[in-house]
mmCIF file of all heavy atoms in Angstrom:
data_model
loop_
_atom_site.group_PDB
_atom_site.id
_atom_site.type_symbol
_atom_site.label_atom_id
_atom_site.label_comp_id
_atom_site.label_asym_id
_atom_site.label_seq_id
_atom_site.Cartn_x
_atom_site.Cartn_y
_atom_site.Cartn_z
ATOM 1 N N GLY I 105 41.803 100.284 94.140
ATOM 2 C CA GLY I 105 41.070 101.505 94.533
ATOM 3 C C GLY I 105 39.704 101.234 94.985
ATOM 4 O O GLY I 105 38.788 102.127 94.941
ATOM 5 N N ARG I 106 39.418 100.008 95.470
ATOM 6 C CA ARG I 106 38.117 99.618 95.908
ATOM 7 C C ARG I 106 38.152 99.080 97.291
ATOM 8 O O ARG I 106 39.254 98.545 97.751
ATOM 9 C CB ARG I 106 37.418 98.585 95.036
ATOM 10 C CG ARG I 106 37.348 99.012 93.594
ATOM 11 C CD ARG I 106 36.818 97.821 92.678
ATOM 12 N NE ARG I 106 37.139 98.041 91.311
ATOM 13 C CZ ARG I 106 37.337 97.025 90.395
ATOM 14 N NH1 ARG I 106 37.154 95.774 90.846
ATOM 15 N NH2 ARG I 106 37.574 97.244 89.189
ATOM 16 N N PRO I 107 37.082 98.994 98.085
ATOM 17 C CA PRO I 107 37.151 98.537 99.422
ATOM 18 C C PRO I 107 37.379 96.970 99.553
ATOM 19 O O PRO I 107 37.946 96.478 100.516
ATOM 20 C CB PRO I 107 35.780 98.881 100.071
ATOM 21 C CG PRO I 107 34.903 99.156 98.933
ATOM 22 C CD PRO I 107 35.765 99.651 97.796
ATOM 23 N N PHE I 108 37.060 96.292 98.430
ATOM 24 C CA PHE I 108 37.287 94.808 98.413
ATOM 25 C C PHE I 108 37.207 94.315 97.030
ATOM 26 O O PHE I 108 36.778 94.983 96.099
ATOM 27 C CB PHE I 108 36.254 94.087 99.255
ATOM 28 C CG PHE I 108 34.800 94.282 98.984
ATOM 29 C CD1 PHE I 108 34.114 93.468 98.067
ATOM 30 C CD2 PHE I 108 34.113 95.419 99.488
ATOM 31 C CE1 PHE I 108 32.852 93.665 97.700
ATOM 32 C CE2 PHE I 108 32.779 95.626 99.119
ATOM 33 C CZ PHE I 108 32.119 94.757 98.203
ATOM 34 N N ASP I 109 37.675 93.086 96.869
ATOM 35 C CA ASP I 109 37.603 92.442 95.497
ATOM 36 C C ASP I 109 36.298 91.699 95.357
ATOM 37 O O ASP I 109 36.179 90.610 95.852
ATOM 38 C CB ASP I 109 38.883 91.424 95.463
ATOM 39 C CG ASP I 109 38.887 90.524 94.192
ATOM 40 O OD1 ASP I 109 38.191 90.947 93.197
ATOM 41 O OD2 ASP I 109 39.605 89.660 94.236
ATOM 42 N N ALA I 110 35.368 92.318 94.706
ATOM 43 C CA ALA I 110 34.027 91.825 94.676
ATOM 44 C C ALA I 110 33.962 90.423 94.069
ATOM 45 O O ALA I 110 34.336 90.177 92.964
ATOM 46 C CB ALA I 110 32.996 92.714 93.883
ATOM 47 N N GLY I 111 33.384 89.522 94.861
ATOM 48 C CA GLY I 111 33.260 88.118 94.376
ATOM 49 C C GLY I 111 34.622 87.394 94.224
ATOM 50 O O GLY I 111 34.595 86.250 93.697
ATOM 51 N N GLY I 112 35.701 88.025 94.545
ATOM 52 C CA GLY I 112 37.055 87.391 94.319
ATOM 53 C C GLY I 112 37.425 87.386 92.840
ATOM 54 O O GLY I 112 38.251 86.567 92.466
ATOM 55 N N ALA I 113 36.749 88.242 92.049
ATOM 56 C CA ALA I 113 36.960 88.146 90.567
ATOM 57 C C ALA I 113 38.393 88.483 90.257
ATOM 58 O O ALA I 113 38.982 87.775 89.296
ATOM 59 C CB ALA I 113 35.982 89.078 89.907
ATOM 60 N N TRP I 114 39.007 89.439 90.876
ATOM 61 C CA TRP I 114 40.390 89.749 90.569
ATOM 62 C C TRP I 114 41.356 88.615 90.991
ATOM 63 O O TRP I 114 42.209 88.274 90.239
ATOM 64 C CB TRP I 114 40.741 91.017 91.256
ATOM 65 C CG TRP I 114 42.096 91.683 90.850
ATOM 66 C CD1 TRP I 114 42.582 91.745 89.582
ATOM 67 C CD2 TRP I 114 43.056 92.206 91.791
ATOM 68 N NE1 TRP I 114 43.789 92.354 89.663
ATOM 69 C CE2 TRP I 114 44.117 92.687 90.949
ATOM 70 C CE3 TRP I 114 43.115 92.410 93.104
ATOM 71 C CZ2 TRP I 114 45.224 93.270 91.492
ATOM 72 C CZ3 TRP I 114 44.182 92.967 93.697
ATOM 73 C CH2 TRP I 114 45.282 93.390 92.836
ATOM 74 N N ALA I 115 41.114 88.110 92.209
ATOM 75 C CA ALA I 115 41.988 86.983 92.607
ATOM 76 C C ALA I 115 41.887 85.757 91.678
ATOM 77 O O ALA I 115 42.930 85.089 91.408
ATOM 78 C CB ALA I 115 41.561 86.567 94.046
ATOM 79 N N ALA I 116 40.737 85.536 91.166
ATOM 80 C CA ALA I 116 40.510 84.391 90.219
ATOM 81 C C ALA I 116 41.364 84.559 88.928
ATOM 82 O O ALA I 116 41.641 83.581 88.271
ATOM 83 C CB ALA I 116 39.065 84.281 89.860
ATOM 84 N N GLU I 117 41.764 85.796 88.572
ATOM 85 C CA GLU I 117 42.552 86.074 87.412
ATOM 86 C C GLU I 117 44.098 85.784 87.615
ATOM 87 O O GLU I 117 44.844 85.617 86.668
ATOM 88 C CB GLU I 117 42.384 87.475 86.928
ATOM 89 C CG GLU I 117 40.974 87.794 86.450
ATOM 90 C CD GLU I 117 40.818 89.312 86.127
ATOM 91 O OE1 GLU I 117 41.865 90.005 86.218
ATOM 92 O OE2 GLU I 117 39.716 89.679 85.796
ATOM 93 N N GLY I 118 44.450 85.705 88.868
ATOM 94 C CA GLY I 118 45.882 85.623 89.190
ATOM 95 C C GLY I 118 46.318 84.182 89.333
ATOM 96 O O GLY I 118 45.480 83.222 89.326
ATOM 97 N N GLU I 119 47.621 83.955 89.595
ATOM 98 C CA GLU I 119 48.212 82.728 89.815
ATOM 99 C C GLU I 119 48.914 82.726 91.247
ATOM 100 O O GLU I 119 49.490 83.641 91.541
ATOM 101 C CB GLU I 119 49.220 82.348 88.780
ATOM 102 C CG GLU I 119 48.688 82.208 87.300
ATOM 103 C CD GLU I 119 49.724 81.860 86.347
ATOM 104 O OE1 GLU I 119 50.893 81.658 86.739
ATOM 105 O OE2 GLU I 119 49.415 81.792 85.083
ATOM 106 N N VAL I 120 48.681 81.632 91.953
ATOM 107 C CA VAL I 120 49.338 81.508 93.251
ATOM 108 C C VAL I 120 50.803 81.474 93.127
ATOM 109 O O VAL I 120 51.317 80.708 92.369
ATOM 110 C CB VAL I 120 48.738 80.344 94.054
ATOM 111 C CG1 VAL I 120 49.494 80.140 95.362
ATOM 112 C CG2 VAL I 120 47.242 80.392 94.219
ATOM 113 N N ASP I 121 51.492 82.355 93.921
ATOM 114 C CA ASP I 121 52.939 82.352 93.929
ATOM 115 C C ASP I 121 53.402 81.394 95.098
ATOM 116 O O ASP I 121 53.108 81.678 96.231
ATOM 117 C CB ASP I 121 53.483 83.711 94.218
ATOM 118 C CG ASP I 121 54.931 83.803 94.153
ATOM 119 O OD1 ASP I 121 55.492 84.038 93.063
ATOM 120 O OD2 ASP I 121 55.614 83.580 95.203
ATOM 121 N N ALA I 122 53.974 80.297 94.619
ATOM 122 C CA ALA I 122 54.292 79.174 95.618
ATOM 123 C C ALA I 122 55.295 79.599 96.707
ATOM 124 O O ALA I 122 55.102 79.238 97.881
ATOM 125 C CB ALA I 122 54.809 77.995 94.828
ATOM 126 N N LEU I 123 56.243 80.410 96.349
ATOM 127 C CA LEU I 123 57.227 80.895 97.349
ATOM 128 C C LEU I 123 56.644 81.804 98.359
ATOM 129 O O LEU I 123 56.822 81.717 99.548
ATOM 130 C CB LEU I 123 58.391 81.561 96.593
ATOM 131 C CG LEU I 123 59.498 82.114 97.506
ATOM 132 C CD1 LEU I 123 60.063 80.943 98.453
ATOM 133 C CD2 LEU I 123 60.610 82.735 96.711
ATOM 134 N N LEU I 124 55.809 82.704 97.847
ATOM 135 C CA LEU I 124 55.134 83.685 98.816
ATOM 136 C C LEU I 124 54.169 82.857 99.730
ATOM 137 O O LEU I 124 54.157 83.124 100.970
ATOM 138 C CB LEU I 124 54.309 84.764 98.041
ATOM 139 C CG LEU I 124 53.563 85.671 98.850
ATOM 140 C CD1 LEU I 124 54.425 86.491 99.981
ATOM 141 C CD2 LEU I 124 52.758 86.671 98.006
ATOM 142 N N LEU I 125 53.389 81.989 99.155
ATOM 143 C CA LEU I 125 52.503 81.131 99.978
ATOM 144 C C LEU I 125 53.345 80.391 101.028
ATOM 145 O O LEU I 125 52.936 80.330 102.209
ATOM 146 C CB LEU I 125 51.722 80.162 99.146
ATOM 147 C CG LEU I 125 50.688 79.367 99.873
ATOM 148 C CD1 LEU I 125 49.636 80.224 100.545
ATOM 149 C CD2 LEU I 125 49.997 78.371 98.942
ATOM 150 N N GLU I 126 54.409 79.809 100.673
ATOM 151 C CA GLU I 126 55.334 79.084 101.596
ATOM 152 C C GLU I 126 55.779 79.995 102.724
ATOM 153 O O GLU I 126 55.805 79.572 103.878
ATOM 154 C CB GLU I 126 56.485 78.487 100.893
ATOM 155 C CG GLU I 126 57.393 77.662 101.707
ATOM 156 C CD GLU I 126 58.606 77.189 100.988
ATOM 157 O OE1 GLU I 126 58.747 77.322 99.764
ATOM 158 O OE2 GLU I 126 59.530 76.565 101.636
ATOM 159 N N ARG I 127 56.163 81.205 102.427
ATOM 160 C CA ARG I 127 56.676 82.102 103.398
ATOM 161 C C ARG I 127 55.507 82.527 104.374
ATOM 162 O O ARG I 127 55.694 82.677 105.557
ATOM 163 C CB ARG I 127 57.254 83.375 102.739
ATOM 164 C CG ARG I 127 58.594 83.120 102.037
ATOM 165 C CD ARG I 127 59.177 84.408 101.394
ATOM 166 N NE ARG I 127 60.376 84.222 100.822
ATOM 167 C CZ ARG I 127 61.096 85.150 100.133
ATOM 168 N NH1 ARG I 127 60.474 86.325 100.019
ATOM 169 N NH2 ARG I 127 62.293 84.903 99.668
ATOM 170 N N LEU I 128 54.303 82.769 103.816
ATOM 171 C CA LEU I 128 53.197 83.096 104.622
ATOM 172 C C LEU I 128 52.832 82.009 105.538
ATOM 173 O O LEU I 128 52.517 82.220 106.733
ATOM 174 C CB LEU I 128 52.064 83.537 103.721
ATOM 175 C CG LEU I 128 52.198 84.782 102.822
ATOM 176 C CD1 LEU I 128 51.020 84.965 101.978
ATOM 177 C CD2 LEU I 128 52.441 86.069 103.725
#
């Protein structure tokens, strides 16, 4: 609900999904 993920703080909490990255 925000215009962006400030500082990438939210992304830093997640884990990279290898299959999704491969598809992208």
Side-chain angles (χ1 to χ4, degrees):
R106 304 176 201 154
F108 57 91
D109 175 15
W114 188 44
E117 295 175 2
E119 297 181 3
V120 173
D121 185 89
L123 178 57
L124 176 58
L125 182 61
E126 179 182 356
R127 289 179 176 177
L128 296 174

